Amino acid sequence: VLVAHAAAMAVRPDGQAMAIEIGGLTFTPGTYRSGSAINFAFGTVVTLDGRNEANPVFLFQAVSTLVTAANTYFILKNGAKAENVMWALGTAATLGANSVLEGSILAGSAITFGAKAELRGCALAQTAITFETAGSVLSGAAAVTAAPGIEPRSYSLCSNFAVHARATITFDGVQTTIYGGDAGVS
């Protein structure tokens, strides 16, 4: 987790500055960096447009947090796939109730899933992961494709774990589901 997080947080010369609030925006393949946080307002949609590229990759970096308000979701079009989306965060991620996030999260500290929040990727945290009622992670054996400039081995944990924390994983509610991988603490 440490190596993958450090590699994903590395500043890239091709990175584009982005606004803190991204609800309602459309992104094309590339690296996007927020000098602070990434937020989605209540009920907003983010579109990832793969531009019909063979293997479009989206890397979102934030110095601090990722926060999705309730009822947010994504539209993936023109070849964009969750397995090619990475969220690299300096600190924590909080997924609001009934939100759907495409891609995998590498958090510098913790990840919290609100009630019925869904992640379509893997969740890797330096400290803790907490699931409220009916949160879910849908991960596959090849959950993440390495972003440009990062060796694929940096993300090898995603091929073994859908959820991995270095300290604790807590299930606060009922009906939390992890598909396509194991949960691990090390």
Side-chain angles (χ1 to χ4, degrees), residues 3-78:
V3 172
H5 183 260
M9 287 299 294
V11 175
R12 289 166 178 65
D14 64 338
Q16 302 173 49
M18 61 184 282
I20 293 172
E21 173 58 48
I22 66 170
L25 299 180
T26 297
F27 293 91
T28 56
T31 300
Y32 299 90
R33 184 164 180 85
S34 169
S36 58
I38 301 173
N39 296 323
F40 297 60
F42 175 83
T44 58
V45 177
V46 173
T47 302
L48 301 181
D49 182 350
R51 292 178 149 174
N52 296 312
E53 293 180 10
N55 196 28
V57 175
F58 301 81
L59 173 60
F60 295 92
Q61 301 170 313
V63 171
S64 62
T65 60
L66 166 67
V67 177
T68 68
N71 302 314
T72 57
Y73 65 97
F74 280 78
I75 294 174
L76 301 178
K77 67 181 195 178
N78 298 323

Side-chain angles (χ1 to χ4, degrees), residues 62-163:
V63 171
S64 62
T65 60
L66 166 67
V67 177
T68 68
N71 302 314
T72 57
Y73 65 97
F74 280 78
I75 294 174
L76 301 178
K77 67 181 195 178
N78 298 323
K81 298 182 255 178
E83 65 193 42
N84 291 340
V85 180
M86 174 64 62
W87 301 90
L89 311 170
T91 58
T94 302
L95 280 60
N98 299 306
S99 64
V100 177
L101 184 70
E102 302 284 353
S104 294
I105 300 172
L106 283 165
S109 59
I111 302 171
T112 301
F113 289 81
K116 297 183 181 178
E118 181 178 306
L119 175 66
R120 296 179 181 164
C122 63
L124 305 174
Q126 297 293 333
T127 57
I129 298 174
T130 301
F131 291 91
E132 293 178 7
T133 302
S136 64
V137 175
L138 291 85
S139 179
V144 178
T145 299
I150 300 175
E151 296 179 38
R153 65 179 169 77
S154 297
Y155 296 118
S156 62
L157 277 176
C158 289
S159 65
N160 298 316
F161 294 100
V163 176

